[in-house]
Amino acid sequence: MMSLENYILFGRKAYNLFKDCILMLNLNMEIQYANPSACRALKHDLKELLNKNIDVISKESKKIIEEACANSIETLKKRTQREIAFNDKKKKTFTTSAFILTLESEKAHVGYMIIFNDPVNRENDSPYFNQRVSLINALNLRSDEFCYIQNIADGRNEFVSKSSEKFVGWKAEDLMSAAFTISKQHPDEMWIIDNFYKKRERWFKYPGKYDHVALHYKYRMMHKNGQYVHLKISIMLLERDENNIPKYTICFGKSYTPQKEKQLQNATILTSREKEVLKLLANGNSYKMVAAQLNISIDSVRTFIRRMYEKLQVHSVTEAIHKTLG
């Protein structure tokens, strides 16, 4: 069963980048998570906010949740504008919405989420992400992984981070087309796309229930240099529309080297002397005989062997021979 900690864990990558203020609370109305934008609006840092009752921070915020509960347990409350006073007592107009975070059990809940938008500071309320400047700037600053945001209705990528070129060679503008992206996927792994479409149906069938459960995949994509690279990605629902229909997904991904390929790479980085030692051992020579033939000490032979074990991630000479010579 999902816990509130799991909801926060799965969504943190996306929520931390939002200009929108996002709070998550447990059933006792105590704050469990606040993104940086919320911390700025509330004029508290995260440590000060954690485990504080929302009523202490803002009485109006507690009312938002109460109205959402009274309105519907399963669906997003439509966004409404209202004045809210935070700890500085100055009222400011926000567009707000709130909804229940649910467990896998239909009757159980783990807490609430409140979202505040500042209509004054937002350029506009267009749904297109290319106009959400702060979010895009933040995503483009990431270099440890690439990111894209997809419109579920037409399958088009509304945004692809510049870092994608680092991982797959293709520029962001190349990958805006979902058809182009799919055409570069390894032909033996097209079933992964079908699997994703089947799994994402839960977002349509059970609103709110699986929204914060990421879908994880590994597949191969053709790099611009013509070679296939291994990618692992996490896809999560980013936003629903005013009718509570899933609208955007956000994907975070990076390349990786499978264990088998790592072993092969490690085998190629053995020094010439290490390979020499290993070949002599493979021919049945003892440590003492290897030392004599190479005119080195037995301790040096042991050092070469220890280094080979570390590089090849093995625990015996037999394993090392099998990985490099067999």
Side-chain angles (χ1 to χ4, degrees), residues 224-281:
K224 194 172 183 179
N225 63 14
Q227 303 294 318
Y228 281 101
V229 293
H230 293 265
L231 301 175
K232 51 184 172 184
I233 63 171
S234 298
I235 305 172
M236 63 188 83
L237 184 63
L238 181 63
E239 185 176 303
R240 291 177 175 272
D241 64 17
E242 62 278 3
N243 297 315
N244 204 28
I245 304 299
K247 190 169 187 178
Y248 293 109
T249 56
I250 186 167
C251 164
F252 292 95
K254 57 186 175 182
S255 55
Y256 75 101
T257 305
Q259 191 62 33
K260 287 184 178 179
E261 288 189 15
K262 278 185 182 179
Q263 292 168 352
L264 290 173
Q265 288 176 4
N266 287 335
T268 63
I269 60 174
L270 293 181
T271 65
S272 57
R273 179 49 63 95
E274 287 167 348
K275 289 177 181 177
E276 219 173 350
V277 169
L278 194 58
K279 284 180 181 178
L280 289 172
L281 291 171

